């Protein structure tokens, strides 16, 4: 397996697991607040809603990260290079550098910071 594929798989998996935890805690909190936790009829609905919310949050964050990368690319705050081990170099002046880095890593590239 190529290292870029491994980076992309790892990044996507970690992000999905984090969002599963966030969605689980949100739904548990909602069911406890509204007193629906002991109702056995809606258990399947709760269990199926957790991955749906996680996927929706994942799609939203990927979309925001792609927009941040495109804005940084237009502003020349990120350089893409195929000749080095790093596929993208992000300027320290980039206001949403973490989203740009997230986009690059979800695509399988490595990132380094430019001064």
């Amino acid at each position: 397996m190529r290292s870029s594929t491994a980076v992309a798989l790892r990044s996507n998996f970690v992000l999905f697991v984090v969002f599963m935890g966030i969605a689980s805690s949100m739904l548990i909190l909602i069911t406890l607040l509204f007193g629906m936790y002991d109702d056995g009829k809606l258990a399947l609905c709760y269990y199926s809603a957790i991955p749906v919310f996680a996927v929706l949050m994942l799609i939203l964050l990927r979309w925001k990260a792609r927009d941040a990368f495109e804005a940084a690319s237009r502003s020349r705050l990120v350089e893409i290079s195929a000749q080095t081990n790093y596929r993208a170099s992000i300027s320290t002046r980039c206001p949403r550098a973490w989203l740009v880095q997230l986009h690059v890593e979800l695509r399988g590239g490595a990132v380094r910071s430019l001064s």
Side-chain angles (χ1 to χ4, degrees):
M1 181 181 295
R2 292 182 29 208
S3 65
S4 62
T5 305
V7 168
L9 285 174
R10 178 187 51 100
S11 300
N12 282 295
F13 179 73
V14 168
L15 196 59
F16 180 71
V17 168
V18 166
F19 282 139
M20 285 289 286
I22 292 170
S24 298
S25 61
M26 282 180 13
L27 287 173
I28 288 172
L29 182 66
I30 288 170
T31 56
L32 289 175
L33 284 176
F34 293 111
M36 298 182 295
Y37 192 71
D38 291 333
D39 189 12
K41 292 181 262 181
L42 297 177
L44 181 63
C45 181
Y46 297 147
Y47 293 139
S48 62
I50 291 172
V52 169
F53 283 140
V55 168
L56 289 176
M57 287 189 289
L58 180 69
I59 290 171
L60 179 66
L61 186 64
R62 287 180 64 103
W63 177 55
K64 291 290 186 183
R66 186 188 68 223
D67 286 346
F69 179 81
E70 289 173 356
S73 181
R74 282 192 304 267
S75 301
R76 291 184 171 51
L77 295 174
V78 64
E79 294 177 8
I80 301 169
S81 173
Q83 286 86 16
T84 64
N85 290 336
Y86 298 102
R87 290 188 56 201
S89 299
I90 303 171
S91 172
T92 56
R93 297 184 330 248
C94 185
R96 297 186 296 175
W98 72 275
L99 281 172
V100 174
Q101 179 178 357
L102 179 67
H103 175 75
V104 171
E105 289 201 9
L106 288 173
R107 298 294 213 165
V111 178
R112 74 177 165 118
S113 180
L114 290 176
S115 21

